[in-house]
Amino acid sequence: MTGAAVEKRRHRVVVIGSGFGGLFACKHLKNADVDVVLISKTSTHLFQPLLYQVATGILSTGEIAPATRIVLRKHHNTQVILGEVTHIDLAAKTVTSRLLNEDTVTEFDSIILATGAQQSYFGNDRFATYAPGMKTIDDALELRARILGSFEEAEVAKTQEERDRFMTFVVVGAGPTGVELAGQIAELADRTLVGCFRNIDPRDARVILLEGAGAVLAPMGPKLGSIAQRRLEKMGVEIQLNAMVTDVDARGVVVKDKDGSQRRIEAACKVWSAGVQASSLGKLVAQQSDGTEVDRAGRVIVEPDLTIKGHPNVFVVGDLMSVPGVPGQAQGAIQGATYAAKQIKAEVAGKQTPEQRKPFHYFNKGSMATVSRFSAVCQIGKLEFGGFLAWLIWLVLHLYYLIGYRSRVVTVFQWFVAFLGRNRGQMAATEQWVFARLAMEAMNGNEEDRREVRGELGENAADAGKSGANQTPSPSAGRSAV
């Protein structure tokens, strides 16, 4: 590239990730004198806080995951590249992304990392085979198929023992996602599915919420945790605190209680919402910086201006950054991305140098979680309350952050149907939603992975051991695995 060509190119900002952080970074750079390249491994902007409503049939994926290209089509200085980032070279200022088998190398002058976090199984990644998390659209669709499929299996079960296992739903982790999901599974069984079966009564379903700590919604404090716990228990959810999950398999979970004793819960449908792990890109960039470290969850311990040591042009925001007092929520990502975009614009305009930047300051707008229809808990400053008012505030806030007028209108209609009536508009589920991920694990994993997957799909150990290394599981073999 010639010197003249370099001079003509505008300052290029590469944004990695299309979540709240990535999208708001692009939004605030829309009219800046820069070229923006957004790189994401998914084609949509996911409104993750409402994933559990996709999993329980209230909303469709279209309402919470609009296409990123469509959202940004009026951002004429922004290019969207679909692909998974495999390498970042801070010295050469390049990002390498891969789509299928094709690599793309993109140069940058500034970069904003907003790749978020994924589900953490605390070193027991094999649990994912049997207990999917709640971080992606695929997770939500798979879980919907597992929930509804469990009721279908219970309807045709031959023994009471089988029926009980399929009618038991275990949610691991009593944070906001776990609380919201447990409440919606209970409402699904107690309202929507009542009268739909002939051999079972969905109201007999057991919904068990397991928490390794001693409180529900522990980060939100004892008052709100108690409100949420009482509401869940009134709905019939069994809450088991100080219950550490030590093993998960196709047929259930093993729990270690506070006194050290272990017990087993037979359950066909499990979901994991107990922890998060930051994207591996955080560690990748930290290793290229002299002195930057990551915390136990893989989040980058950033400088006061959200950059890494020695690289004032490398910003880390959202769930990938570790800043005291900033929770891993949408507000943290939005404010961090907005701050980073403003620093870049000011530098490009010649209004300040990196040394003149003011430190990032997080404004806590509160936190909330919905427990059931007409009931939520809310924390705004020192004010803590629950009930119907908190639920209304939760509705309004989530509608505000949904992208697009159509998404808001359709969401309001779906909420009206689900919360005021008994029906839910998104009750489709297929075996493929369950088995697609398992088949990919068997195809791409080692022989041990294949044996675990085939066990989940209903094959016995002997058959799994005889299976060829290049074979993938057949959906027809896994009726009992749903």
Side-chain angles (χ1 to χ4, degrees):
M1 185 177 289
T2 66
V6 172
E7 292 177 357
K8 290 181 180 179
R9 181 169 70 80
R10 289 202 300 182
H11 188 100
R12 179 179 292 163
V13 183
V14 170
V15 179
I16 304 179
S18 59
F20 283 107
L23 198 68
F24 273 78
C26 293
K27 176 181 177 181
H28 286 278
L29 291 170
K30 179 180 179 181
N31 297 316
D33 187 24
V34 299
D35 292 319
V36 182
V37 179
L38 173 67
I39 305 176
S40 175
K41 65 180 180 180
T42 65
S43 62
T44 61
H45 162 66
L46 178 61
F47 192 90
Q48 204 172 82
L50 291 178
L51 263 181
Y52 77 95
Q53 293 198 3
V54 172
T56 52
I58 298 175
L59 297 178
S60 72
T61 57
E63 275 68 76
I64 71 166
T68 308
R69 289 187 181 279
I70 294 178
V71 174
L72 297 177
R73 63 184 168 188
K74 294 184 179 180
H75 291 233
H76 300 298
N77 67 335
T78 302
Q79 177 188 10
V80 178
I81 295 178
L82 183 64
E84 182 171 6
V85 173
T86 58
H87 186 66
I88 300 174
D89 190 330
L90 298 187
K93 292 188 176 182
T94 60
V95 175
T96 302
S97 58
R98 173 169 293 182
L99 179 61
L100 297 179
N101 294 319
E102 187 73 25
D103 286 344
T104 300
V105 178
T106 306
E107 296 179 348
F108 66 85
D109 298 299
S110 296
I111 186 170
I112 300 176
L113 277 73
T115 49
Q118 58 193 11
Q119 205 70 59
S120 172
Y121 291 86
F122 307 109
N124 299 297
D125 291 344
R126 63 186 180 85
F127 291 179
T129 300
Y130 316 106
M134 278 292 291
K135 289 296 180 183
T136 67
I137 293 174
D138 289 336
D139 290 338
L141 293 178
E142 177 180 350
L143 184 57
R144 186 198 298 176
R146 284 178 176 265
I147 293 171
L148 298 179
S150 289
F151 285 106
E152 298 293 343
E153 294 280 9
E155 174 76 355
V156 297
K158 300 297 189 295
T159 67
Q160 186 61 44
E161 181 182 3
E162 277 189 325
R163 186 173 293 113
D164 290 343
R165 182 167 68 87
F166 286 117
M167 292 281 283
T168 300
F169 302 84
V170 172
V171 179
V172 183
T177 299
V179 166
E180 291 166 344
L181 190 56
Q184 283 306 314
I185 294 175
E187 288 196 342
L188 185 69
D190 290 343
R191 290 177 54 81
T192 305
L193 297 179
V194 172
C196 294
F197 297 90
R198 299 298 171 259
N199 294 329
I200 62 170
D201 185 346
R203 291 172 293 188
D204 293 335
R206 292 181 66 195
V207 181
I208 303 174
L209 180 60
L210 301 176
E211 171 56 48
V216 173
L217 295 177
M220 297 183 70
K223 179 180 178 179
L224 297 183
S226 296
I227 293 174
Q229 181 171 345
R230 287 195 300 268
R231 175 57 184 163
L232 287 173
E233 289 175 339
K234 186 176 181 180
M235 297 168 63
V237 177
E238 301 177 31
I239 299 176
Q240 301 179 14
L241 303 177
N242 297 305
M244 187 73 66
V245 174
T246 59
D247 196 16
V248 182
D249 57 37
R251 301 185 64 85
V253 300
V254 176
V255 179
K256 182 179 181 180
D257 290 315
K258 192 175 183 179
D259 60 4
S261 62
Q262 292 196 358
R263 54 191 169 87
R264 182 175 176 82
I265 301 174
E266 297 291 331
C269 184
K270 291 84 60 180
V271 59
W272 192 276
S273 63
V276 294
Q277 181 73 26
S279 163
S280 59
L281 292 182
K283 185 177 181 180
L284 177 64
V285 297
Q287 290 174 338
Q288 299 179 56
S289 166
D290 185 14
T292 299
E293 298 178 350
V294 297
D295 63 14
R296 293 179 61 183
R299 296 172 297 189
V300 180
I301 301 176
V302 294
E303 298 298 288
D305 62 352
L306 305 187
T307 64
I308 62 175
K309 295 180 185 296
H311 296 273
N313 62 326
V314 179
F315 293 86
V316 182
V317 303
D319 290 345
L320 195 57
M321 71 178 183
S322 177
V323 177
V326 181
Q329 299 175 350
Q331 275 301 319
I334 292 171
Q335 293 184 34
T338 302
Y339 169 87
K342 288 181 177 178
Q343 307 315 306
I344 292 172
K345 288 195 295 185
E347 184 175 348
V348 170
K351 295 181 180 180
Q352 72 174 24
T353 64
E355 292 76 20
Q356 296 173 319
R357 293 173 183 167
K358 295 181 180 180
F360 169 70
H361 176 71
Y362 174 71
F363 177 67
N364 187 358
K365 296 183 179 181
S367 57
M368 58 186 65
T370 181
V371 184
S372 65
R373 68 189 192 110
F374 308 146
S375 179
V377 291
C378 184
Q379 180 184 54
I380 303 176
K382 295 183 179 181
L383 186 62
E384 298 180 344
F385 57 97
F388 184 70
L389 178 59
W391 184 75
L392 287 179
I393 295 175
W394 180 92
L395 290 180
V396 172
L397 183 65
H398 282 68
L399 276 177
Y400 175 79
Y401 282 111
L402 275 177
I403 302 297
Y405 175 76
R406 177 193 174 280
S407 293
R408 295 189 181 104
V409 171
V410 174
T411 297
V412 168
F413 176 77
Q414 298 283 24
W415 281 349
F416 181 85
V417 171
F419 297 144
L420 296 183
R422 293 172 53 185
N423 296 325
R424 300 188 178 207
Q426 303 297 324
M427 297 292 284
T430 70
E431 284 186 323
Q432 183 172 324
W433 290 355
V434 175
F435 299 134
R437 178 180 60 86
L438 300 176
M440 291 179 66
E441 288 181 5
M443 180 175 65
N444 298 326
N446 54 34
E447 186 58 36
E448 182 179 353
D449 293 333
R450 280 185 278 275
R451 284 196 297 268
E452 289 182 356
V453 169
R454 291 180 183 281
E456 168 70 348
L457 293 176
E459 294 187 13
N460 59 45
D463 292 337
K466 295 177 183 178
S467 299
N470 295 324
Q471 293 179 335
T472 56
S474 167
S476 62
R479 291 283 303 167
S480 63
V482 177

